[in-house]
Amino acid sequence: METSQPRTRNPERTRKQILDAATVEFTNKGIEGARTDEIARAAGVSKRMLFHYFNSKDGLFQAVLEKIYLDIRSAEENLDLTGRDPIEAMAELCIFSFEWFAKHPEFMAILNEENLHGAVHAKASDSVLTLNMPLVDIISKVLKKGEKEGFFRPDVDPVELYISIAGVSYLYFSNMHTLSEIFGRDLSSREELDKRRQHVVEVILGYLCHPETQPSVPNAKSRK
């Protein structure tokens, strides 16, 4: 009779399974509505194992928050913005941010939940601040390069700029259903998404660039 081999423990894989399941649960139900037993079931682990890794439901939500920030910041680093023409770099950051909201609805849902709770998990996290500061440095370098080359206006605050880049995309997706009804458009259609993405790029570059150096922004190809 053959004896079954014991399953090899893989803490990294187990942790990822729990985080993936928790992201879905928190996205759909928020912190209060999320059930740790459902997260454990979806992850294929015991509830005891869940608390072994994350201590509490709040600890698990904090880990999910840290992960979604790590995901977007890692993807932004791959854009190599500092190695590009500054106008092209800022346009690419706008496009990237817009498409991230479109493709990652969990990102918006988790951030909405965190804001409803006064950012208590972000305050308790050692990594959220450190994850976001490199992006500010990258934007600062692009802005300085653009200013030096005569394209960008001087003294642009990189944090204010990034809030604007995120904001003009965020509202579109957070209010997509009501705005679609109010204006009689399907704002989730690819045609409307492409139009809005183009608008975002033009709005941000319109603020950044001197009138005499304002570029003609070509239509970006659809990113499916």
Side-chain angles (χ1 to χ4, degrees):
M1 180 177 180
E2 294 184 0
T3 58
S4 60
Q5 295 295 321
R7 179 180 291 182
T8 303
R9 290 187 178 182
N10 188 326
E12 184 177 340
R13 181 180 61 195
T14 301
R15 191 175 191 277
K16 182 181 184 303
Q17 289 172 183
I18 295 172
L19 283 175
D20 289 345
T23 299
V24 173
E25 183 77 358
F26 287 131
T27 295
N28 293 334
K29 301 177 183 177
I31 297 175
E32 281 77 16
R35 299 285 301 276
T36 53
D37 53 350
E38 286 297 314
I39 295 171
R41 182 193 60 76
V45 302
S46 68
K47 193 172 179 179
R48 178 187 63 79
M49 184 66 69
L50 187 151
F51 286 108
H52 169 73
Y53 278 94
F54 299 101
N55 297 319
S56 65
K57 184 163 73 168
D58 276 309
L60 180 54
F61 184 86
Q62 180 177 317
V64 169
L65 180 69
E66 291 169 348
K67 182 182 182 299
I68 66 167
Y69 270 123
L70 176 61
D71 289 344
I72 188 173
R73 297 303 171 238
S74 297
E76 284 166 341
E77 287 181 9
N78 292 332
L79 297 176
D80 187 27
L81 298 178
T82 56
R84 298 185 176 203
D85 168 86
I87 292 177
E88 178 187 331
M90 295 312 306
E92 181 62 22
L93 181 59
C94 292
I95 293 169
F96 169 86
S97 298
F98 184 88
E99 291 293 342
W100 192 268
F101 281 123
K103 296 173 183 177
H104 298 272
E106 75 282 358
F107 182 74
M108 180 176 296
I110 297 299
L111 291 187
N112 282 345
E113 189 70 12
E114 178 65 357
N115 277 288
L116 285 174
H117 289 81
V120 293
H121 304 90
K123 292 174 185 176
S125 172
D126 293 328
S127 65
V128 167
L129 179 61
T130 57
L131 282 171
N132 286 281
M133 289 313 295
L135 176 64
V136 176
D137 292 336
I138 290 171
I139 294 175
S140 295
K141 290 176 182 177
V142 175
L143 290 174
K144 289 178 182 177
K145 183 178 180 182
E147 181 183 347
K148 183 178 180 181
E149 295 179 5
F151 295 120
F152 293 164
R153 60 193 297 171
D155 303 323
V156 176
D157 185 320
V159 174
E160 291 286 358
L161 180 65
Y162 185 73
I163 292 173
S164 295
I165 291 173
V168 290
S169 297
Y170 182 91
L171 178 68
Y172 184 88
F173 290 101
S174 66
N175 290 30
M176 176 178 283
H177 299 297
T178 52
L179 290 173
S180 293
E181 290 300 320
I182 290 170
F183 296 113
R185 296 183 183 182
D186 179 9
L187 297 183
S188 66
S189 71
R190 190 67 253 181
E191 179 183 2
E192 292 292 341
L193 288 169
D194 288 345
K195 284 166 58 179
R196 180 62 187 181
R197 185 183 59 206
Q198 182 72 14
H199 179 77
V200 169
V201 174
E202 291 175 352
V203 165
I204 297 301
L205 290 184
Y207 162 73
L208 275 178
C209 295
H210 295 294
E212 60 270 21
T213 61
Q214 178 67 47
S216 175
V217 182
N219 287 320
K221 291 182 179 180
S222 174
R223 297 187 177 188
K224 297 181 180 178

